[in-house]
């Protein structure tokens, strides 16, 4: 199995192109199930999760074709993909496909809306908490679907079509918001989605659905209005830049020191993380190319962080921020409020010499002067990249194993970092 080997202590200098957002690309690809015309997506990242979703969609009858590269295009530029679901050939999403990635469960919304039925395996994904699907089930029931759980599958039917309704989510769930918004686009009448998640990826999906002919207002806020239409058409849409990848590389620069421009990054989606990174000593400016991050000549300050739904500090940057705090001057606290088991990086960071104690949902981090390279193991996507960040600053060699987690969500991470001078390579066992 491949590992990533890092020799730490080298400041990062140069530029890193930011890829299209994984967590926007996945729901956008799923939206192709809503129409029998071609949905063209630009800036699709090359990731294992994206590949996995192509398999799942193919099983439902979606043809995908990749448009070729143009001459002079950066090798790290995003790809353009045509998705065509002319006919849905199967409304079952089987266990062996869905269990690998939670987001694939979201196909239930479009399949049910377009075909009046869906049979989707209960999901899998990163082991960061129990991650139930009760909001999806209650929401789809409110839209008139009949839903049963049978042998590990959610079996949903709405033979006469879905009917718009007022739905209040018990918690602002990203996945439930994506799914119910997609389902409601083809329902009869108006749906009002209250306490909806406000993440920028939801706004991005909303824009794409509107380009496909959907009638949506309020996407990106906590109340979304969707007036159902009889059918949606093809469209072209560019996936938004990945705010979590951006935040991750910004934290890597804050950790290792140096001066890096994150090309194509959008600072608008990172207000809270930027505020905390500045307090920690990073110098962040918005330029016409993206975002420039520097930390030269001074240390890292200890800063507290607490995760919250957007626009709060994202849970998907919690592990990376904690990695930075392991080298902070003093004591900091990082509190996780979204998932109950998202601290698996703690024991791996400890192998590098980090001093972290856990009390419930709060980690207390006592900054150390130097981390020391060691073999560590990736446990989930964001946890694994936190080990890379720590390894970039640690003395000596760090080897991260089980990096298939990283490949799920970070496009060509070693190339991007080594372009900035990092001593990082992928080694095969
Ligand atoms: C999305 O997951 C992201 N995944 C996650 O990113 C991200 O961590 C999360 O949102 C929070 O921002 C994608 O976009 C593909 P939720 P999602 O539903 O939709 C509870 C990464 O590393 N809940 O907003 O699964 C749930 O247990 C991934 O890229 C229910 O109780 O998250 C959690 O406590 C990991 N019942 C909270 O809501 C439900 O039916 C928020 O989860 C649904 C959710």
């Amino acid at each position: 199995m491949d590992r990533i080997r890092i020799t730490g202590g080298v400041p990062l200098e140069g530029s890193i192109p930011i890829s299209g957002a994984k967590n926007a690309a996945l729901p956008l690809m799923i939206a192709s199930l809503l129409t029998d015309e071609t949905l063209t997506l630009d800036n699709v990242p090359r990731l294992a999760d994206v590949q996995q979703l192509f398999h799942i969609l193919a099983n439902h009858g979606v043809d995908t074709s990749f448009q070729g590269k143009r001459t002079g295009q950066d090798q790290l530029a995003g790809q353009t993909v045509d998705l065509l679901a002319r006919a849905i050939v199967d409304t079952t999403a089987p266990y062996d496909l869905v269990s690998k990635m939670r987001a694939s469960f979201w196909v239930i919304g479009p399949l049910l809306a377009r075909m009046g039925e869906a049979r989707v395996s209960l999901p899998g994904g990163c082991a960061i908490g129990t991650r139930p699907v009760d909001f999806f089930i209650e929401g789809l029931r409110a839209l008139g679907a009949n839903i049963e759980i049978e042998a590990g599958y959610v079996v949903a039917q709405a033979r006469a079509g879905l009917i718009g309704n007022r739905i209040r989510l018990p918690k602002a769930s990203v996945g439930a918001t994506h799914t119910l918004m997609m389902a409601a686009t083809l329902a009869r009448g108006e749906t009002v989605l209250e306490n909806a998640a406000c993440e920028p990826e939801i706004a991005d999906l909303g824009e794409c659905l509107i380009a496909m002919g959907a009638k949506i207002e309020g996407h990106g806020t906590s109340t979304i209005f969707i007036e159902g239409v009889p059918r949606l058409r093809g469209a072209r849409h560019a996936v938004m830049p990945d705010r979590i990848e951006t935040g991750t590389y910004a934290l890597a620069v804050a950790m290792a020191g140096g001066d890096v421009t994150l090309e194509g990054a959008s600072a608008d989606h990172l207000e809270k993380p930027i505020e905390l990174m500045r307090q920690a000593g990073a110098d962040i400016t918005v330029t016409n190319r993206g975002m420039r991050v520097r930390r030269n000549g001074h240390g890292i300050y200890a800063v507290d962080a607490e995760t919250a739904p957007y626009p709060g500090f994202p849970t998907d940057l919690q592990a990376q921020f904690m990695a930075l705090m392991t080298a902070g001057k003093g004591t900091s606290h990082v509190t996780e409020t979204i998932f109950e088991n998202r601290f698996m990086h703690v024991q791996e960071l400890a192998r590098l010499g980090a001093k972290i104690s856990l009390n419930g949902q709060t980690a207390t981090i006592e900054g150390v002067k130097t981390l020391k390279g060691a073999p560590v193991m990736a446990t989930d996507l964001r946890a694994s990249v936190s080990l890379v960040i720590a390894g970039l600053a640690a003395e000596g060699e760090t080897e991260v194993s089980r990096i298939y987690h990283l490949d799920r969500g970070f496009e060509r991470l070693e190339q991007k970092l080594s372009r900035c001078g990092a001593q990082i390579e992928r080694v095969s066992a």
Side-chain angles (χ1 to χ4, degrees):
M1 234 185 280
D2 287 0
R3 284 165 309 192
I4 281 188
R5 188 181 292 151
I6 306 159
T7 307
V10 187
L12 303 173
E13 304 280 343
S15 68
I16 296 179
I18 294 304
S19 296
K22 169 182 82 86
N23 288 349
L26 301 177
L28 287 165
M29 289 162 62
I30 290 172
S32 68
L33 290 168
L34 287 165
T35 175
D36 59 2
E37 295 182 14
T38 301
L39 176 64
T40 301
L41 296 177
D42 295 306
N43 202 29
V44 176
R46 290 173 190 73
L47 297 170
D49 271 9
V50 166
Q51 282 308 326
Q52 176 66 14
L53 186 56
F54 282 137
H55 288 307
I56 290 165
L57 293 176
N59 182 61
H60 297 303
V62 181
D63 283 333
T64 41
S65 52
F66 296 81
Q67 294 183 13
K69 277 211 166 310
R70 290 178 290 280
T71 34
Q73 210 171 25
D74 189 310
Q75 52 143 337
L76 297 178
Q79 49 193 348
T80 294
V81 186
D82 291 326
L83 298 118
L84 175 59
R86 200 184 294 286
I88 302 292
V89 297
D90 194 341
T91 52
T92 294
Y95 171 76
D96 56 332
L97 293 177
V98 179
S99 59
K100 296 199 178 99
M101 182 181 38
R102 181 175 166 89
S104 51
F105 182 77
W106 305 349
V107 299
I108 195 167
L111 288 176
L112 186 59
R114 180 164 160 192
M115 304 303 289
E117 60 171 42
R119 189 169 164 270
V120 181
S121 167
L122 286 163
C126 278
I128 54 179
T130 47
R131 305 183 84 186
V133 290
D134 48 336
F135 305 164
F136 296 73
I137 292 176
E138 287 316 311
L140 292 171
R141 278 190 179 138
L143 295 178
N146 177 23
I147 300 187
E148 306 288 341
I149 312 287
E150 286 170 14
Y153 279 77
V154 179
V155 182
Q157 288 191 336
R159 293 273 180 241
L162 295 171
I163 302 158
N165 202 348
R166 183 173 284 268
I167 302 168
R168 186 170 181 84
L169 290 176
K171 220 177 181 183
S173 154
V174 172
T177 304
H178 279 310
T179 304
L180 297 172
M181 185 165 77
M182 285 192 276
T185 57
L186 293 179
R188 259 176 293 133
E190 189 184 59
T191 297
V192 182
L193 205 49
E194 292 173 342
N195 197 28
C198 303
E199 268 66 6
E201 292 75 15
I202 289 161
D204 203 32
L205 174 65
E207 286 305 308
C208 177
L209 293 169
I210 290 170
M212 292 166 74
K215 292 194 177 148
I216 304 177
E217 282 176 21
H219 47 301
T221 77
S222 59
T223 308
I224 306 178
F225 301 87
I226 306 130
E227 179 69 45
V229 294
R231 65 181 298 275
L232 294 179
R233 54 177 183 267
R236 181 166 196 148
H237 181 85
V239 180
M240 63 177 275
D242 195 319
R243 66 192 167 100
I244 303 302
E245 190 196 30
T246 305
T248 299
Y249 288 125
L251 285 160
V253 181
M255 184 73 171
D259 183 347
V260 173
T261 294
L262 303 174
E263 281 171 40
S266 170
D268 295 349
H269 301 143
L270 282 162
E271 225 170 280
K272 189 69 188 174
I274 288 175
E275 181 192 320
L276 298 191
M277 284 189 270
R278 282 184 175 143
Q279 286 172 17
D283 181 358
I284 301 178
T285 45
V286 177
T287 71
N288 54 7
R289 285 169 60 202
M291 227 169 93
R292 183 174 175 197
V293 187
R294 283 172 289 179
R295 187 177 67 80
N296 290 315
H298 54 76
I300 297 160
Y301 302 104
V303 175
D304 294 344
E306 178 168 323
T307 64
Y310 189 82
F313 188 83
T315 172
D316 289 349
L317 285 176
Q318 181 256 104
Q320 301 90 310
F321 190 79
M322 197 186 298
L324 177 67
M325 287 302 111
T326 62
K329 290 184 202 164
T331 304
S332 59
H333 302 94
V334 172
T335 304
E336 171 60 51
T337 70
I338 310 289
F339 293 110
E340 70 270 26
N341 188 23
R342 211 170 194 183
F343 281 129
M344 286 190 299
H345 41 288
V346 168
Q347 62 186 31
E348 297 304 306
L349 287 169
R351 288 175 192 275
L352 301 172
K355 287 202 175 142
I356 307 171
S357 60
L358 265 181
N359 186 3
Q361 292 300 98
T362 299
T364 302
I365 305 121
E366 270 178 59
V368 294
K369 263 213 169 82
T370 43
L371 295 173
K372 298 242 162 64
V376 287
M377 194 187 284
T379 50
D380 70 62
L381 169 57
R382 311 302 175 184
S384 38
V385 84
S386 77
L387 303 173
V388 172
I389 291 178
L392 288 171
E395 266 177 14
E397 202 173 276
T398 297
E399 233 179 52
V400 187
S401 57
R402 298 205 182 166
I403 56 164
Y404 50 84
H405 289 292
L406 271 179
D407 294 332
R408 292 185 55 184
F410 288 94
E411 182 175 351
R412 305 193 202 202
L413 174 110
E414 326 82 87
Q415 276 121 303
K416 289 189 181 188
L417 285 170
S418 55
R419 263 163 62 142
C420 294
Q423 303 282 301
I424 181 168
E425 59 177 343
R426 185 177 288 248
V427 287
S428 302

